[in-house]
Amino acid sequence: MTAVARDRVPHLTALLSLVSLALVFGAAGGVIPQTAVPKPPAWLLEAIPTVNVFLSLTAIVTITTGWRAIRRGNVDRHRLLMATSAVLFATFLVLYLYRLVVLGGSQPFPGPDAIRLYVYLPVLAIHILLAIVCIPLLYYVLLLAASHSVPELRRTAHARIGRVAAVLWLVSFSLGVVVYVLLHVIY
């Protein structure tokens, strides 16, 4: 028996995507009240961006290695690495959202206006756009994998959409690291 009913994959993808994006935009926009989460000690709040950049870098490795594994025909290794990537992303997202809620939304760029306008904002915009596009693609391929056996999965759009999702995911994670460097290392 499969973990997800096949006919529900598109509906679950849409529902999970909408809930995820609503949480992200609600946290970034300061709509979710700060009282909705416990207030952390200052050291923990300050550590979250660094923890998240390590999660991102680790996810870049697991996605790349998982992609290589499936190209070599190692389905079990691919499945393990992509599931690990999804857990890393979920952990990243929970920490990111928690920090946004505690801070009351996104914070202003601390560097010079020219860098903000011509470097930070374009990189951030592309990062956010790719993350938004990635979310439904990732849910879709994960739900397909949960609802089909390996032979059946080969007759679905899993591989085709998974390739697109992996590329976008890698670029988004990479740009997230650039955003971290701009916000927490350089400025």
Side-chain angles (χ1 to χ4, degrees), residues 54-142:
F54 283 110
L55 291 170
S56 296
L57 291 168
T58 304
I60 289 168
V61 171
T62 58
I63 295 164
T64 304
T65 308
W67 195 346
R68 186 176 302 134
I70 200 62
R71 290 186 57 99
R72 293 181 176 163
N74 191 337
V75 174
D76 292 334
R77 183 165 170 77
H78 169 75
R79 200 173 259 203
L80 174 66
L81 287 162
M82 291 313 197
T84 301
S85 301
V87 169
L88 289 167
F89 176 64
T91 305
F92 168 94
L93 193 57
V94 166
L95 290 172
Y96 175 75
L97 293 175
Y98 177 71
R99 186 170 188 274
L100 279 177
V101 171
V102 167
L103 294 174
S106 59
Q107 303 300 299
F109 180 70
D113 283 340
I115 298 297
R116 181 181 77 72
L117 186 61
Y118 298 112
V119 178
Y120 174 73
L121 289 178
V123 168
L124 182 64
I126 295 168
H127 166 67
I128 290 170
L129 177 65
L130 293 178
I132 290 169
V133 170
C134 254
I135 287 176
L137 298 176
L138 293 172
Y139 280 133
Y140 187 70
V141 295
L142 288 170

Side-chain angles (χ1 to χ4, degrees), residues 13-24:
T13 297
L15 177 64
L16 291 170
S17 298
L18 288 172
V19 169
S20 297
L21 291 170
L23 284 171
V24 170

